[in-house]
Amino acid sequence: MVKQASSAVPSPVSQDSPRILQWGINLFFLALSALIVVPFLLVLSISLTREQSLLDFGYRFIPKEFSLQAYRLIFANPGQLLRAYGVTALVTAIGTTAALFLTSLIAFVIARRDYAYRRATTLFIFFTMLFSPGIVPTYILVTRVMHLQNTIWALIVPYLLNPFHVMLLKGFLDKLPGEIVESAKIDGCSEFRIYSRIVLPLAKPALATVGLLIAFAYWNDWWLGLLFIDNQNQVPLQLLLYRIMNQIEFLSNQFIHSNVAVDLSQFPSLSTRMAMAILAAGPMMFIFPLFQRFFVGGLTVGSVKG
């Protein structure tokens, strides 16, 4: 009897094991967060360091010699930079809204259990993920068929629909209880009303995730501008920074292979590249925390009784 009673008492090790596991998980994610934040801080420090100091002392988290020369070089033509920011912000806002609307519409349809061609449509969408149309057909479609060259729509339309985003959103909508839609139809709701008033509010976490992926794709894109935009007033931010970086590399190579005595240490080549990375990524880093409150699961818990 004594042995049975003693064996029923939990040991201190078994009580502390969940706490140790929780501390281990917290330390792991702290280390992972540091691996993400530390490189960004190093890039910021390099962009604020004098070029000669970088050549003499290397990269440091605290600038050895503070300098804003890289930012002065980029902002030498502030009108062009602000115009590129405006184009990219407008493209991101319009493109993300339109793409999220189309993506959610298609995902809502193929996630419905009463849709007769659900599997065939899903297979068709998935099939398009396996093959790429190629540059030449895309260029002909945008310029010769749709006539979107040198318009802002050339930066928006090619990214309006991504099959991966459709499948990602469909996976979330599949988990919504079908009784919600059935009860709404009994109450006389139309299909679009069910989509806009019931499904979309319940799918906020998935919409926020897919919306961020779409917004990042529009914000970081320079390829569409390189293909379809010749008007300097419609150049997006990433393409402008890409051209500035190419000009810096070209000037550096010309100085190295020429006999002209030029002091390259005074030309902020390294720091300018890091400054461009800060300018390109900065706005999205401030927008991302605004979506944190939507990353919460379990919004449909308790929505169906019985």
Side-chain angles (χ1 to χ4, degrees):
M1 295 296 293
V2 176
K3 292 183 179 180
Q4 294 178 356
S6 61
S7 61
V9 177
S11 62
V13 176
S14 62
Q15 292 179 352
D16 294 338
S17 58
R19 185 179 301 176
I20 295 175
L21 179 62
Q22 186 65 37
W23 274 100
I25 295 175
N26 293 338
L27 289 176
F28 170 77
F29 281 103
L30 282 175
L32 184 62
S33 301
L35 291 176
I36 297 173
V37 174
V38 168
F40 179 79
L41 295 178
L42 181 60
V43 170
L44 179 61
S45 175
I46 296 172
S47 68
L48 297 173
T49 305
R50 186 167 170 266
E51 189 75 12
Q52 184 61 44
S53 178
L54 292 174
L55 297 176
D56 294 339
F57 305 104
Y59 298 157
R60 292 172 174 266
F61 285 100
I62 299 177
K64 187 75 173 179
E65 297 182 26
F66 183 82
S67 175
L68 294 176
Q69 189 177 4
Y71 291 95
R72 293 193 190 99
L73 178 62
I74 297 176
F75 284 97
N77 189 358
Q80 186 179 13
L81 185 63
L82 293 176
R83 191 183 305 113
Y85 259 108
V87 170
T88 300
L90 183 62
V91 168
T92 303
I94 298 177
T96 302
T97 304
L100 198 57
F101 175 70
L102 294 177
T103 302
S104 59
L105 274 180
I106 298 176
F108 170 70
V109 172
I110 63 178
R112 291 285 297 272
R113 296 176 179 86
D114 55 351
Y115 175 47
Y117 303 101
R118 176 187 179 189
R119 292 187 177 180
T121 308
T122 304
L123 179 61
F124 175 77
I125 295 174
F126 176 75
F127 185 78
T128 59
M129 298 174 60
L130 305 178
F131 302 95
S132 174
I135 299 177
V136 175
T138 302
Y139 184 83
I140 294 175
L141 176 64
V142 173
T143 59
R144 302 294 179 84
V145 179
M146 305 180 71
H147 302 286
L148 298 179
Q149 190 174 9
N150 286 324
T151 65
I152 195 173
W153 299 107
L155 305 175
I156 298 176
V157 173
Y159 290 159
L160 275 181
L161 205 56
N162 189 318
F164 172 74
H165 297 157
V166 175
M167 301 301 294
L168 187 64
L169 193 55
K170 174 188 176 296
F172 182 89
L173 296 181
D174 281 337
K175 299 179 182 179
L176 296 180
E179 291 81 357
I180 297 178
V181 177
E182 294 177 2
S183 61
K185 294 176 69 175
I186 293 174
D187 292 337
C189 291
S190 62
E191 292 292 340
F192 187 78
R193 189 177 181 86
I194 294 173
Y195 159 79
S196 60
R197 296 297 182 89
I198 298 176
V199 175
L200 290 187
L202 294 176
K204 282 183 179 179
L207 291 174
T209 302
V210 175
L212 275 179
L213 294 177
I214 297 173
F216 284 141
Y218 276 113
W219 183 270
N220 294 324
D221 178 72
W222 57 272
W223 177 245
L224 294 180
L226 184 64
L227 284 178
F228 305 121
I229 301 299
D230 296 327
N231 188 354
Q232 297 299 321
N233 294 328
Q234 296 178 350
V235 173
L237 175 65
Q238 302 294 342
L239 180 59
L240 177 63
L241 298 180
Y242 175 77
R243 290 176 176 175
I244 293 176
M245 185 172 65
N246 284 342
Q247 292 174 1
I248 292 174
E249 293 180 354
F250 174 78
L251 292 176
S252 300
N253 292 331
Q254 288 296 318
F255 290 153
I256 291 175
H257 296 290
S258 64
N259 296 324
V260 180
V262 178
D263 187 8
L264 292 178
S265 63
Q266 303 300 322
F267 188 75
S269 176
L270 297 175
S271 57
T272 302
R273 295 172 186 174
M274 301 304 175
M276 288 189 296
I278 296 296
L279 293 175
M284 298 305 293
M285 294 186 62
F286 290 102
I287 294 176
F288 181 80
L290 300 178
F291 290 84
Q292 287 292 323
R293 61 190 184 94
F294 294 110
F295 297 148
V296 180
L299 292 180
T300 60
V301 175
S303 58
V304 180
K305 296 182 180 179

